[in-house]
Amino acid sequence: MNDITWEEPFCGAGNNCFRIGTDESDNAYIAVAGAEDHYLTDTREALRTLIRDIKAGKADHLL
């Protein structure tokens, strides 16, 4: 398993929290805070785009 370095949780309205992580190979990960062993992985740019879209209100139902 990859050594993932997790950032502090980001929490939206309604106590929905997720965490972003990266590994030494520059892969990016996203997981619900507290369940980091069940994560999605993609490129760092793909997850960055997802987070930007969520923050812009394009996918606020995901939070």
Side-chain angles (χ1 to χ4, degrees):
M1 186 169 145
N2 298 330
D3 246 350
I4 302 171
T5 302
W6 294 102
E7 295 180 5
E8 291 298 313
F10 173 81
C11 299
N15 297 324
N16 296 309
C17 301
F18 64 91
R19 296 182 82 174
I20 301 292
T22 55
D23 66 15
E24 292 179 5
S25 299
D26 210 28
N27 296 310
Y29 303 84
I30 187 169
V32 173
E36 287 81 1
D37 55 334
H38 299 288
Y39 55 80
L40 297 176
T41 185
D42 207 330
T43 64
R44 188 179 289 216
E45 185 57 34
L47 290 178
R48 184 177 292 126
T49 300
L50 172 67
I51 299 305
R52 283 185 190 138
D53 286 349
I54 291 170
K55 288 182 176 181
K58 295 180 182 178
D60 59 347
H61 61 282
L62 295 176
L63 294 176

